[in-house]
CSV table of all heavy atoms in Angstrom, one decimal:
chain,number,residue,atom,x,y,z
A,118,PHE,N,-2.8,9.9,23.7
A,118,PHE,CA,-1.9,11.0,23.9
A,118,PHE,C,-2.3,11.7,25.2
A,118,PHE,O,-1.4,12.0,26.1
A,118,PHE,CB,-2.0,11.9,22.7
A,118,PHE,CG,-1.1,13.1,22.8
A,118,PHE,CD1,0.2,13.0,22.3
A,118,PHE,CD2,-1.5,14.3,23.4
A,118,PHE,CE1,1.1,14.1,22.5
A,118,PHE,CE2,-0.6,15.3,23.6
A,118,PHE,CZ,0.7,15.2,23.1
A,121,HIS,N,-1.3,10.5,28.7
A,121,HIS,CA,0.1,10.3,29.1
A,121,HIS,C,1.0,11.5,28.9
A,121,HIS,O,2.0,11.6,29.6
A,121,HIS,CB,0.7,9.2,28.3
A,121,HIS,CG,0.1,7.8,28.6
A,121,HIS,ND1,0.2,7.2,29.8
A,121,HIS,CD2,-0.8,7.1,27.8
A,121,HIS,CE1,-0.6,6.1,29.7
A,121,HIS,NE2,-1.2,6.0,28.5
A,122,VAL,N,0.7,12.4,28.0
A,122,VAL,CA,1.6,13.4,27.7
A,122,VAL,C,1.1,14.8,28.3
A,122,VAL,O,0.0,15.2,28.1
A,122,VAL,CB,1.8,13.6,26.1
A,122,VAL,CG1,2.8,14.7,25.8
A,122,VAL,CG2,2.3,12.3,25.6
A,123,ARG,N,2.0,15.4,29.0
A,123,ARG,CA,1.7,16.7,29.7
A,123,ARG,C,2.5,17.9,29.3
A,123,ARG,O,2.1,19.0,29.4
A,123,ARG,CB,1.8,16.5,31.2
A,123,ARG,CG,1.0,15.5,31.9
A,123,ARG,CD,-0.4,16.0,32.2
A,123,ARG,NE,-1.2,14.8,32.7
A,123,ARG,CZ,-2.1,14.2,31.9
A,123,ARG,NH1,-2.2,14.5,30.6
A,123,ARG,NH2,-2.8,13.2,32.4
A,124,SER,N,3.7,17.6,28.7
A,124,SER,CA,4.6,18.7,28.5
A,124,SER,C,5.1,18.7,27.0
A,124,SER,O,5.2,17.6,26.4
A,124,SER,CB,5.8,18.5,29.4
A,124,SER,OG,7.0,19.2,28.9
A,125,TYR,N,5.3,19.9,26.5
A,125,TYR,CA,5.9,20.0,25.1
A,125,TYR,C,7.2,19.2,25.0
A,125,TYR,O,7.6,19.0,23.9
A,125,TYR,CB,6.1,21.5,24.8
A,125,TYR,CG,7.3,22.1,25.4
A,125,TYR,CD1,8.4,22.3,24.6
A,125,TYR,CD2,7.3,22.5,26.8
A,125,TYR,CE1,9.6,22.8,25.2
A,125,TYR,CE2,8.4,23.1,27.3
A,125,TYR,CZ,9.6,23.2,26.5
A,125,TYR,OH,10.7,23.7,27.0
A,126,LYS,N,7.9,18.9,26.1
A,126,LYS,CA,9.2,18.3,26.0
A,126,LYS,C,9.1,16.9,25.4
A,126,LYS,O,10.1,16.3,25.0
A,126,LYS,CB,9.8,18.2,27.4
A,126,LYS,CG,10.3,19.6,27.9
A,126,LYS,CD,11.0,19.5,29.2
A,126,LYS,CE,11.3,20.9,29.7
A,126,LYS,NZ,11.2,21.0,31.1
A,127,ALA,N,7.9,16.3,25.5
A,127,ALA,CA,7.7,14.9,24.9
A,127,ALA,C,7.5,15.0,23.4
A,127,ALA,O,7.4,13.9,22.7
A,127,ALA,CB,6.5,14.3,25.6
A,128,LEU,N,7.4,16.2,22.8
A,128,LEU,CA,7.2,16.4,21.4
A,128,LEU,C,8.5,16.7,20.6
A,128,LEU,O,9.4,17.1,21.2
A,128,LEU,CB,6.2,17.5,21.2
A,128,LEU,CG,4.9,17.4,22.0
A,128,LEU,CD1,4.0,18.6,21.8
A,128,LEU,CD2,4.2,16.1,21.7
A,129,PRO,N,8.5,16.4,19.3
A,129,PRO,CA,7.5,15.9,18.5
A,129,PRO,C,7.2,14.4,18.7
A,129,PRO,O,8.1,13.7,19.2
A,129,PRO,CB,8.0,16.1,17.1
A,129,PRO,CG,9.5,16.1,17.2
A,129,PRO,CD,9.8,16.7,18.6
A,130,LEU,N,6.0,13.9,18.4
A,130,LEU,CA,5.7,12.5,18.6
A,130,LEU,C,4.9,12.1,17.4
A,130,LEU,O,4.0,12.9,17.0
A,130,LEU,CB,4.9,12.3,19.9
A,130,LEU,CG,4.6,10.9,20.2
A,130,LEU,CD1,5.8,10.1,20.6
A,130,LEU,CD2,3.6,10.9,21.5
A,131,ASN,N,5.2,10.9,16.8
A,131,ASN,CA,4.4,10.5,15.7
A,131,ASN,C,4.1,8.9,15.9
A,131,ASN,O,5.1,8.2,16.0
A,131,ASN,CB,5.1,10.7,14.4
A,131,ASN,CG,4.2,10.4,13.2
A,131,ASN,OD1,3.3,9.5,13.2
A,131,ASN,ND2,4.4,11.1,12.1
A,163,PHE,N,2.0,14.7,16.6
A,163,PHE,CA,1.6,15.6,17.7
A,163,PHE,C,2.8,16.6,17.8
A,163,PHE,O,4.0,16.2,18.0
A,163,PHE,CB,1.5,14.9,19.0
A,163,PHE,CG,0.4,13.8,19.0
A,163,PHE,CD1,0.8,12.5,18.6
A,163,PHE,CD2,-0.9,14.1,19.3
A,163,PHE,CE1,-0.2,11.5,18.6
A,163,PHE,CE2,-1.9,13.1,19.3
A,163,PHE,CZ,-1.5,11.9,18.9
A,298,VAL,N,-0.8,20.3,26.2
A,298,VAL,CA,0.6,20.2,26.8
A,298,VAL,C,1.0,21.6,27.4
A,298,VAL,O,0.4,22.6,26.9
A,298,VAL,CB,1.7,19.7,25.8
A,298,VAL,CG1,1.4,18.3,25.4
A,298,VAL,CG2,1.8,20.6,24.7
Side-chain angles (χ1 to χ4, degrees):
F118 181 91
H121 299 287
V122 182
R123 298 277 173 265
S124 159
Y125 78 98
K126 288 184 188 143
L128 306 181
L130 184 64
N131 189 327
F163 302 89
V298 293

